[in-house]
Amino acid sequence: MEYRVISGAEMNVSRVAQGTWAIGGWMWGGTDESESIRTIHAALDKGINLIDTAPVYGCGVSEEIVGKAIEDRGHREKVFIATKVGLEWHNGSVSRNSSPARIRKEVQDSLRRLRTDYIDIYQVHWPDLAVPIEETARTMHALFKEGLIRAIGVSNYSPEQMDRFMSVSELHTVQPPYNLFERQIERDVLPYVREKNLSAFAYGPLCRGLLTGTMRPDTKFTGDDLRQSDPKFQSPRFAQYLDAVKQLDDLAQKRYGKRVMDLAVRWVLDQPGIIAALWGARHPAELEAVAGALDWKLDADALAAIDQILHRTIPNPVGPEFMAPPARKTVSA
């Protein structure tokens, strides 16, 4: 495993993190608690010490599973738990709420579900335009000073929003969506991360399974699977992305003896400012491929060839905007 230190937080975290959105079940077709716990244990066995979760993943289910898995294994001090705050759900719908009262309630709920008395990295999940960012930041700063959280992060924030946040509080980590097919953060967020010496966790490095190389033109998504609403998985774009995956896989095999999944994660890890990529395994066997992304680098020729493939196969790339929960315009507690 490769490790990097979070700037300003003195946490030496694994460069591959265990992402737990899918094991929460919501928008991923359900979950199996015992299998999920085995998966987290398998991740720990492979040297993964960063576990990323959120209350909204399964309405608390993901956090509960993470808490049980870590408690069962023991050695809490060797695991870095990253969870989030600022989303609430009502009757199956999710909305943003980063008010001080909401944050104070959520941190206690998360501590209970996670079976811990501190959270290593606490991240505001989405910016809430109905609450001044400075107000949210002050509350996060207070939790930090009280010792309930040990590092402060934001997710899906713009540079302007991070500027406002940092005017009143420390900020250690940033979590944006980032993969070969969703590169919007290269315009603003990634340069900002580098300039401010922040540590970025990239979520979705395999683009919701698209970059695993296992999907086919007839692959179907059922139930509440979020890929049913992702434009990349709809015709005619799905065929374009699958063509890109095939060409990227050919490149990985010819140049490195690797597969497209290895190349996709390595590409993310090689970007300056990215210290970890979230790997959303749901079964222990899905972690076997982690090793293929580690301990090698993409050379300049390969990076150029990758860009050529993407330019040639995907004329009108689309981003992850479909995942954004609705913004609020009025303040609630």
Side-chain angles (χ1 to χ4, degrees), residues 182 206-210 215 226-227 230 232-233 322-323:
E182 296 171 334
L206 295 174
C207 199
R208 294 166 290 289
L210 192 51
M215 293 186 178
L226 80 162
R227 288 169 289 194
D230 186 339
K232 284 179 286 301
F233 294 84
F322 77 99
M323 291 192 293

Side-chain angles (χ1 to χ4, degrees), residues 29 48 69 80 95 115 118 138 149 151 185 187 192 199 209 212 224 274 293 305:
I48 294 173
F80 299 104
S95 59
R115 305 183 181 204
Y118 68 93
R138 286 190 190 96
I149 65 178
I185 68 165
R187 303 172 193 151
Y192 185 88
S199 297
T212 61
D224 65 352
I274 303 291

Side-chain angles (χ1 to χ4, degrees), residues 244-254 258-260:
V245 169
K246 182 182 183 304
Q247 292 190 39
L248 291 168
D249 191 51
D250 290 343
L251 173 68
Q253 291 188 63
K254 290 174 182 176
K258 301 282 187 178
R259 302 307 299 261
V260 63

Side-chain angles (χ1 to χ4, degrees), residues 47-62:
I48 294 173
N49 66 5
L50 176 59
I51 311 294
D52 182 85
T53 185
V56 76
Y57 300 162
C59 300
V61 171
S62 176

Side-chain angles (χ1 to χ4, degrees), residues 4-290:
R4 288 279 179 87
V5 175
I6 294 176
S7 180
E10 298 182 357
M11 298 180 190
N12 194 30
V13 300
S14 54
R15 299 211 67 201
V16 172
Q18 172 67 41
T20 63
W21 183 5
I23 69 172
W26 174 64
M27 300 188 80
W28 291 92
T31 189
D32 179 321
E33 181 179 296
S34 60
E35 183 76 354
S36 297
I37 289 173
R38 285 194 294 272
T39 302
I40 293 171
H41 289 170
L44 296 173
D45 290 341
K46 291 187 177 299
I48 294 173
N49 66 5
L50 176 59
I51 311 294
D52 182 85
T53 185
V56 76
Y57 300 162
C59 300
V61 171
S62 176
E63 283 191 328
E64 289 173 355
I65 289 172
V66 170
K68 289 178 183 178
I70 294 174
E71 184 178 69
D72 288 351
R73 178 56 61 95
H75 301 291
R76 164 68 181 92
E77 73 284 355
K78 296 183 178 180
V79 183
F80 299 104
I81 300 175
T83 193
K84 305 180 187 77
V85 66
L87 290 183
E88 58 184 346
W89 55 89
H90 301 283
N91 300 319
S93 64
V94 175
S95 59
R96 311 183 196 199
N97 188 345
S98 293
S99 66
R102 178 66 186 175
I103 292 172
R104 285 286 179 180
K105 179 181 187 303
E106 279 202 69
V107 73
Q108 294 300 327
D109 289 343
S110 289
L111 289 167
R112 173 179 48 81
R113 287 190 291 257
L114 291 165
R115 305 183 181 204
T116 184
D117 56 5
Y118 68 93
I119 293 166
D120 296 283
I121 306 160
Y122 205 37
Q123 307 158 99
V124 183
H125 207 152
W126 284 86
D128 179 7
L129 304 183
V131 177
I133 287 173
E134 295 83 357
E135 194 172 315
T136 297
R138 286 190 190 96
T139 309
M140 296 289 282
H141 176 75
L143 298 180
F144 179 71
K145 290 299 184 183
E146 292 163 21
L148 292 177
I149 65 178
R150 297 192 172 179
I152 300 172
V154 295
S155 181
N156 304 296
Y157 267 51
S158 70
E160 293 77 18
Q161 291 164 337
M162 286 186 274
D163 263 343
R164 291 179 60 186
F165 194 102
M166 287 193 288
S167 71
V168 296
S169 171
E170 299 92 338
L171 182 62
H172 303 96
T173 69
V174 179
Q175 188 175 145
Y178 192 44
N179 57 65
L180 280 165
F181 295 150
E182 296 171 334
R183 298 173 60 172
Q184 287 78 6
I185 68 165
E186 292 176 355
R187 303 172 193 151
D188 51 7
V189 172
L190 204 47
Y192 185 88
V193 163
R194 295 165 184 162
E195 177 192 347
K196 301 295 185 180
N197 195 30
L198 301 172
S199 297
F201 305 153
Y203 74 80
L206 295 174
C207 199
R208 294 166 290 289
L210 192 51
L211 283 158
T212 61
T214 61
M215 293 186 178
R216 301 291 177 263
D218 60 350
T219 299
K220 303 296 182 184
F221 307 100
T222 59
D224 65 352
D225 196 308
L226 80 162
R227 288 169 289 194
Q228 292 192 95
S229 58
D230 186 339
K232 284 179 286 301
F233 294 84
Q234 315 301 322
S235 180
R237 286 193 172 99
F238 192 35
Q240 296 172 353
Y241 281 99
L242 289 180
D243 183 21
V245 169
K246 182 182 183 304
Q247 292 190 39
L248 291 168
D249 191 51
D250 290 343
L251 173 68
Q253 291 188 63
K254 290 174 182 176
R255 284 182 178 262
Y256 301 105
K258 301 282 187 178
R259 302 307 299 261
V260 63
M261 182 160 55
D262 307 321
L263 180 142
V265 176
R266 186 71 252 170
W267 180 89
V268 170
L269 294 177
D270 281 352
Q271 307 302 316
I274 303 291
I275 71 161
L278 274 57
W279 188 287
R282 303 183 73 180
H283 309 282
E286 294 174 352
L287 289 157
E288 294 303 316
V290 167

